[in-house]
Amino acid sequence: MVTGGAGYVGSTLCRELLSAGCRVTVMDDLRYGGSALKGVFNHPNFTLRVGDIRKSADVEAFMGDDPSVVIHLAAIVGDRPCQLDPKEAVEVNYEGTALLAEHAKRHGIGLFLFASTCSNYGITDPSCAADEKAPLNPVSLYAETKIDCEKLLIEMHDERFRPVVLRFGTAYGVSGRTRFDLLVNSMTFEAVEKQGITVYAADTWRPYIHVLDMARVYLMAMRTPMERIGGEIINAGSNDQNFVKRDIASFVERALPNITVTVLDSVDDRRSYRVDFTKLEKLVGFKRRYSVKDGIAELIAAFRSGIITPEDYEGSRLRGLPW
């Protein structure tokens, strides 16, 4: 069972789950459309249920497909979308998660994988990478809702119900619904289409993870004994993929040498966090397959070939996703 399966991460995850032989049911309200699922819609092991995680009847119908694992991705994702409608952000991100978890526990679903974010760390000392025990310092409503969900799920943990919190780094890469509010994706698109990029807050840190590697994290977590990971909070990414924004601009410039790079001071986004991912490798054996440089090359090829078009970018903006 995958909530938010028609989204950026969800559509990629569904494809990988089906390839691994899983039976997949998606619950999504399709607020951004369902085109990302066209490639898997007629797969014999795929089912789509259009519904809202805030509605008990919709969630209960979802549980009727008797899932053994819930992967909960559905959310209002990102700082700007949450700012635009704070009430809905709390309803979807926190109240929807609480309702889904209650139903899952009542139905005896043991493993509940929750998509959280490294954004919860907010601002950290870059000389020391934040592990799962580091203090949380949220600077956005989005992060606050994720932290509240984490607390709720860990409190619900028992021998029968095993939630796992995965705090992911910043995603990038081509997907069925590629997002353009993500730094690597947006910076690469801007470089290809406008032959120039502007870098704000160039020395702020982020960890990055390819969308396909995110899907692999879920698959590996599903294959790990619940007794080992149940009730755990786990940073999801790779230690060698922590970069400042200036680094990302440099990678793009090396791939596209003729672009112009402009660096501007900005305090609009105060987040800066370098994260430690040792626990993920120890518990589930995860090692990345993709680097940011790989992702940039992939994105350039997708833009130049027309797989992703300027209209896709504009459509993303019209649906309320920020640049």
Side-chain angles (χ1 to χ4, degrees), residues 96-111:
T97 298
L99 181 65
L100 184 69
E102 289 168 5
H103 279 263
K105 187 170 186 176
R106 187 163 63 247
H107 279 262
I109 298 171
L111 186 59

Side-chain angles (χ1 to χ4, degrees), residues 180-201:
F180 295 96
D181 59 327
L182 300 168
L183 183 74
V184 176
N185 295 356
S186 63
M187 192 175 283
T188 306
F189 180 85
E190 189 175 352
V192 171
E193 291 298 315
K194 302 180 181 179
Q195 291 75 55
I197 55 178
T198 302
V199 186
Y200 300 92

Side-chain angles (χ1 to χ4, degrees), residues 40 50 67 70 73 79 91 111 120 128-129 144 175 187 190 221 226 233 238-239 271 281 298 311 313 319 323:
V40 299
V50 179
V70 170
L73 306 177
D79 297 353
E91 288 177 353
L111 186 59
N120 295 350
C128 181
E144 290 173 0
S175 170
M187 192 175 283
E190 189 175 352
M226 286 193 292
I233 296 174
S238 304
N239 289 339
R271 294 173 301 161
E281 183 173 352
E298 170 188 285
E311 288 73 25
Y313 159 61
R319 289 193 295 268
W323 174 240

Side-chain angles (χ1 to χ4, degrees), residues 187-299:
M187 192 175 283
T188 306
F189 180 85
E190 189 175 352
V192 171
E193 291 298 315
K194 302 180 181 179
Q195 291 75 55
I197 55 178
T198 302
V199 186
Y200 300 92
D203 296 312
T204 53
W205 285 90
R206 298 282 194 286
Y208 297 88
I209 181 169
H210 193 285
V211 65
L212 268 169
D213 274 335
M214 294 178 75
R216 289 181 57 241
V217 169
Y218 284 113
L219 283 162
M220 296 178 77
M222 287 169 56
R223 293 166 178 160
T224 302
M226 286 193 292
E227 295 76 13
R228 190 173 186 183
I229 61 172
E232 294 289 341
I233 296 174
I234 308 171
N235 293 334
S238 304
N239 289 339
D240 68 347
Q241 296 299 293
N242 282 287
F243 298 108
V244 294
K245 290 183 180 179
R246 192 186 303 273
D247 293 331
I248 306 301
S250 177
F251 297 153
V252 174
E253 188 175 19
R254 289 177 200 172
L256 297 165
N258 295 323
I259 66 170
T260 300
V261 178
T262 303
V263 177
L264 298 176
D265 292 331
S266 171
V267 294
D268 291 342
D269 189 347
R270 297 179 293 133
R271 294 173 301 161
S272 182
Y273 42 91
R274 192 165 67 86
V275 179
D276 182 89
F277 299 99
T278 304
K279 183 176 180 179
L280 179 69
E281 183 173 352
K282 287 183 177 179
L283 287 182
V284 307
F286 174 80
K287 293 184 179 180
R288 68 168 178 84
R289 288 183 179 170
Y290 302 92
S291 69
V292 168
K293 292 179 183 178
D294 295 330
I296 290 168
E298 170 188 285
L299 288 158

